[in-house]
Amino acid sequence: MQSDESISEQYRVAAKSWVDLDAAANLMEETKTAVLSQMMARLGDIPVSHAERTVKASSEWTEFVTKMVEARKAANLAKVRCEYLKMKFQEWSSDAANKRAEMRL
């Protein structure tokens, strides 16, 4: 993650990305039941257990769940980038403090 930007600016950009990706993942997770219900309703007047089994066996449901998991993965990766920048700053700060201490000796 080499950049000419300051660590704080890199963190701001990474954090914004994390927030956006986390919101997208949360939206998919929070609407999972609603999407399932909508897909079941499209099947018409059949028993709920049959409709749920049919929907959950469909490629459309598999695709939805896969996208949801990929969205969470992207959000988690963005969070790790933010944590990396925090660690990078802490290392820089520690190195700078050590250099100042060495110069006093």
Side-chain angles (χ1 to χ4, degrees), residues 22-40 55 61 64-65 67-69 71-72:
D22 190 56
N26 284 339
L27 181 62
M28 291 189 83
E29 291 164 354
E30 293 296 324
T31 60
K32 181 180 176 182
T33 302
V35 169
L36 177 62
S37 295
Q38 291 168 358
M39 292 170 76
M40 288 169 56
V55 167
W61 181 254
F64 176 82
V65 172
K67 285 180 182 177
M68 183 175 61
V69 170
R72 178 52 55 206

Side-chain angles (χ1 to χ4, degrees), residues 47-88:
V48 172
S49 61
H50 294 272
E52 183 176 358
R53 182 181 63 233
T54 300
V55 167
K56 287 186 174 180
S58 72
S59 59
E60 183 181 11
W61 181 254
T62 300
E63 185 179 325
F64 176 82
V65 172
T66 300
K67 285 180 182 177
M68 183 175 61
V69 170
E70 289 296 321
R72 178 52 55 206
K73 177 182 174 184
N76 288 341
L77 182 57
K79 181 179 180 180
V80 168
R81 286 186 187 117
C82 287
E83 293 299 318
Y84 165 78
L85 288 167
K86 280 184 183 180
M87 290 172 59
K88 184 176 173 180

Side-chain angles (χ1 to χ4, degrees), residues 91-104:
E91 288 173 355
W92 173 83
S93 181
S94 178
D95 287 345
N98 288 339
K99 286 177 185 173
R100 286 191 303 273
E102 288 172 4
M103 289 181 3
R104 284 191 293 260

